[in-house]
Amino acid sequence: MAEPLKVLVTGAAGQIAYSLIFNIAKGDVFGKDQALILVLLDIAPMMSVLDGVVMEIQDCAIPLVKQVIATDKEDVAFQSIDVAILVGSMPRREGMERKDLLQANVKIFKSQGSALDKFAKKTVKVLVVGNPANTNCLIAMKSAPSIPKENFFCLTRLDHNRARAQLAVRLGVPSNDVKNVIIWGNHSSTQYPDVNHATVKCDGKEMSVSAAIKDDNWLKNDFIQIIQQRGAAVIKARKLSSAMSAAKAISDHMKDIWFGTPEGEWVSMGVISDGNAYNIPDGLIYSFPVIIKNKTWKIVECLSINDFSCEKMKTTATELVEERDTASEFLTSA
């Protein structure tokens, strides 16, 4: 069995982590022969709940889990970790402006970025889930200058999975028969789910999604809005935010980082935009289509972008520039 991998999950007493930790522990993410040290971080008032989570992990009697560390201290949590999955963040409360949300999260992710810089392995892979995920990721990255920018990601795989699933439902096929959708931009209601390069297997034959759907109006309107508003729709129905699907998306994201993407397929991830081929401003964490090999990602280049897509990509980039600039003001004063 491989040397234990030290994996940190923040917000570990929360509902996303409750689903995620089990996926990691049983080998679905890093492999069935990969020993694990699970590090669970949450705030002090949640420690009694976290104790219950630790009990449940123990009661699962999973052989891969060699140790569980539960703590409310960042210097303990970030020590020599290989992977950081930053789920915990300040949720948006009723009456809270987006600017207020950014200010509250700047403090959290500046602190956690500094802890990464000081205590984590320099090879650590960092996935930010807590919203606003793109900008929180950017703050953590800027606060950890000794760790390569390429090691930071924000989660847009949930949106990617949602897009695949909606197309599959529409066409009456399994979701794994839908390939190469793209989520461009921000994990927000400005994100652009793009099907222009997506393919689907129908009746044993591979074809473009647009040819299979035969309804451009639906693809350019209802489909985009369904994906953009899916998180809100889940909250309206459940009275709670997405947890099971978010945990699955995190697992999918990290598994692809570890083992690579299948030949001829890409996935969507929020990564640093520096030097991209799509005229997106540098210095953003922006969701692109990426391929991964040997734990190294590369943005898929040379995709044709029509005028409709170009406008959608610009709109979500503009929002991210505004978020970055607002967060930067708070970062200097935090």
Side-chain angles (χ1 to χ4, degrees):
M1 190 176 280
E3 279 293 303
L5 200 66
K6 200 170 186 184
V7 180
L8 166 65
V9 178
T10 74
Q15 58 160 353
I16 293 174
Y18 192 73
S19 292
L20 173 64
I21 291 164
F22 184 59
N23 290 352
I24 294 170
K26 63 191 174 82
D28 288 357
V29 180
F30 300 106
K32 300 293 183 182
D33 62 350
Q34 178 59 65
L36 299 163
I37 297 171
L38 298 177
V39 186
L40 311 179
L41 175 69
D42 216 311
I43 57 175
M46 298 302 293
M47 288 308 292
S48 61
V49 176
L50 197 54
D51 287 342
V53 174
V54 173
M55 288 182 215
E56 289 221 66
I57 296 168
Q58 291 169 343
D59 294 349
C60 286
I62 298 171
L64 291 177
V65 179
K66 301 304 177 187
Q67 187 182 1
V68 182
I69 300 166
T71 183
D72 60 355
K73 295 176 175 57
E74 288 182 349
D75 58 341
V76 174
F78 287 85
Q79 187 65 51
S80 302
I81 54 171
D82 297 289
V83 177
I85 303 173
L86 308 183
V87 180
S89 65
M90 170 71 78
R92 192 168 188 167
R93 299 203 171 106
E94 196 172 342
M96 188 183 252
E97 297 291 332
R98 192 168 181 83
K99 193 172 181 180
D100 299 330
L101 184 67
L102 278 167
Q103 185 171 23
N105 279 295
V106 162
K107 292 177 185 174
I108 295 168
F109 286 89
K110 181 180 181 182
S111 179
Q112 292 187 354
S114 298
L116 281 163
D117 199 55
K118 191 171 181 182
F119 301 112
K121 292 180 182 176
K122 300 311 173 190
T123 53
V124 66
K125 302 293 188 186
V126 183
L127 173 59
V128 176
V129 179
N131 287 318
N134 298 60
T135 302
N136 287 345
C137 183
L138 188 67
I139 293 160
M141 184 192 78
K142 285 186 172 183
S143 303
S146 69
I147 295 168
K149 292 179 181 180
E150 294 75 21
N151 289 21
F152 287 83
F153 310 86
C154 87
L155 186 75
T156 57
R157 185 58 172 270
L158 178 54
D159 310 299
H160 184 98
N161 288 352
R162 286 166 170 166
R164 286 181 78 181
Q166 287 299 312
L167 295 168
V169 168
R170 180 86 173 185
L171 291 166
V173 300
S175 58
N176 62 350
D177 282 347
V178 179
K179 296 175 182 175
N180 293 345
V181 299
I182 302 169
I183 302 298
W184 298 99
N186 200 0
H187 175 62
S188 75
S189 59
T190 68
Q191 66 175 264
Y192 171 44
D194 179 4
V195 303
N196 285 295
H197 306 278
T199 61
V200 61
K201 192 186 289 183
C202 288
D203 301 321
K205 180 183 166 188
E206 193 142 310
M207 64 177 72
S208 72
V209 161
S210 54
I213 297 265
K214 299 188 184 84
D215 188 345
D216 276 357
N217 185 55
W218 183 80
L219 287 171
K220 286 184 173 180
N221 293 286
D222 290 358
F223 167 72
I224 290 173
Q225 289 167 22
I226 287 166
I227 307 308
Q228 289 175 336
Q229 302 293 336
R230 189 67 165 182
V234 171
I235 290 171
K236 186 176 179 182
R238 283 190 80 224
K239 308 298 183 274
L240 292 166
S241 61
S242 305
M244 178 170 48
S245 57
K248 168 65 164 51
I250 295 164
S251 302
D252 289 344
H253 177 115
M254 291 310 306
K255 185 177 181 181
D256 284 340
I257 294 292
W258 236 248
F259 297 105
T261 46
E263 191 67 34
E265 290 185 43
W266 60 67
V267 292
S268 303
M269 293 183 177
V271 296
I272 188 67
S273 62
D274 295 359
N276 74 87
Y278 295 103
N279 295 318
I280 301 303
D282 288 350
L284 300 175
I285 298 291
Y286 188 100
S287 183
F288 292 97
V290 303
I291 53 172
I292 303 156
K293 191 174 183 181
N294 300 324
K295 297 188 177 70
T296 302
W297 57 267
K298 184 180 178 218
I299 295 173
V300 178
E301 296 182 343
C302 302
L303 295 174
S304 59
I305 304 296
N306 61 31
D307 290 345
F308 178 84
S309 295
C310 190
E311 283 305 310
K312 295 287 185 185
M313 290 162 68
K314 280 181 186 173
T315 297
T316 191
T318 298
E319 182 181 56
L320 280 169
V321 168
E322 290 169 359
E323 281 189 15
R324 178 194 65 191
D325 293 348
T326 303
S328 294
E329 292 172 25
F330 294 138
L331 197 56
T332 53
S333 60

